[in-house]
Amino acid sequence: MYVCSCFGITEQQVKQHADGGACTPRQIASACKAGTDCGSCVRRIQAILGRGACPRRDLAELGRPVLSDLGDAA
């Protein structure tokens, strides 16, 4: 089923991005553009994200680092 008709993004694709670590509609938008045009799919994306676990959120709740070490810039 399509979640974002503007960009042809399916519910399965949103779930795959969520499995890959996207925990918010903004992170989904960064991954696949869903929710960045008319915005009518944002609530649906929020509902999909609310159903599953979020590895980053789980780490944050445990007080552990959420982002991987980016190393030295120099």
Side-chain angles (χ1 to χ4, degrees), residues 9-34:
I9 305 300
T10 65
E11 185 172 331
Q12 184 61 34
Q13 288 172 297
V14 172
K15 289 178 181 179
Q16 288 173 343
H17 290 300
D19 289 344
C23 300
T24 66
R26 183 172 289 185
Q27 290 171 342
I28 295 293
S30 293
C32 64
K33 292 185 165 182

Side-chain angles (χ1 to χ4, degrees), residues 2 6 17 21 33 45 48-50 53:
Y2 284 101
C6 294
H17 290 300
K33 292 185 165 182
I45 293 168
I48 293 168
L49 294 175

